[in-house]
Amino acid sequence: EYIVRICGWILFETYKRPLQLLGMRKDALFIFKGHRWQYFLRIPKVKAQTGDAAELWPVSEALGKSIQALGDRPMLLALQEKFDRLIVVPGRKQGGNNRKEITIGSQEQYGLELPMEWHEHGQVPTGTMTRLLRRWSIERNIVSPRTGKVLIFGAKRVRHTGGTRLAMQGTPRGEIQTIFEHDDPTSAQAYIDAVA
């Protein structure tokens, strides 16, 4: 639950693609200790920008401190160390099938095992995180102020809602394009057109 909440929070503050968040290294949090502490995340590039250097994106102090607190949870810290990822998801042992299981620490210590397919490629699959985010929002009974119904959200929905909100606030197309890291200006224009 804690890691899903953190992942959702990062989505809301950065509007990045889920693959970018799940690809962040365990040391992605950067803290600038000047007159006032500032928190940044090193977020990798994806799609056409794959291979470009990760950029620092600012996050709130509250989010930065919550990300730091991930290290206070032994299971999450062990997974971060093993997979070199900031966003990791422990799982429960799957019974009745032949999936390979790996255990970090002892099962007596954590009571959890990890389905190997969650980390086949060295990170949590985007589909897994999307399902976890949706389940989390349903279980919390988060209601949409617009529709009055339970809000079922995923990473793409957060991203698209963020784009339309920026457009509604009058954010110029170039700024939306920069925030969302679109190579094609027509992608940012779609958010502006959506709100007429």
Side-chain angles (χ1 to χ4, degrees), residues 39-82:
Y39 296 81
F40 299 88
L41 283 173
R42 247 182 230 97
I43 301 180
K45 303 289 186 176
V46 295
K47 289 196 163 190
Q49 300 163 356
T50 300
D52 291 354
E55 286 187 45
L56 290 176
W57 287 86
V59 295
S60 66
E61 181 179 353
L63 175 54
K65 288 181 176 181
S66 293
I67 292 170
Q68 280 182 300
L70 289 173
D72 297 339
R73 297 171 182 261
M75 180 57 144
L76 294 179
L77 183 60
L79 290 171
Q80 286 176 328
E81 293 292 327
K82 178 163 182 63

Side-chain angles (χ1 to χ4, degrees), residues 99-154:
R99 294 181 187 163
K100 291 183 180 178
E101 303 289 341
I102 58 171
T103 304
I104 309 295
S106 68
Q107 189 170 3
E108 295 78 34
Q109 182 181 5
Y110 300 117
L112 298 172
E113 290 189 10
L114 304 174
M116 182 61 104
E117 76 268 7
W118 284 24
H119 296 281
E120 280 177 5
H121 304 288
Q123 65 190 44
V124 177
T126 56
T128 297
M129 186 52 70
T130 298
R131 283 190 300 277
L132 291 171
L133 283 166
R134 286 183 180 157
R135 187 171 65 201
W136 182 84
S137 68
I138 292 168
E139 288 173 355
R140 300 295 161 296
N141 199 29
I142 299 172
V143 176
S144 167
R146 185 176 59 83
T147 65
K149 296 179 181 178
V150 173
L151 181 64
I152 302 170
F153 73 88

Side-chain angles (χ1 to χ4, degrees), residues 167-184:
M168 286 173 33
Q169 294 168 357
T171 306
R173 182 180 70 187
E175 285 185 38
I176 295 173
Q177 183 178 350
T178 299
I179 292 167
F180 284 77
E181 299 181 276
H182 289 145
D183 290 326
D184 183 355

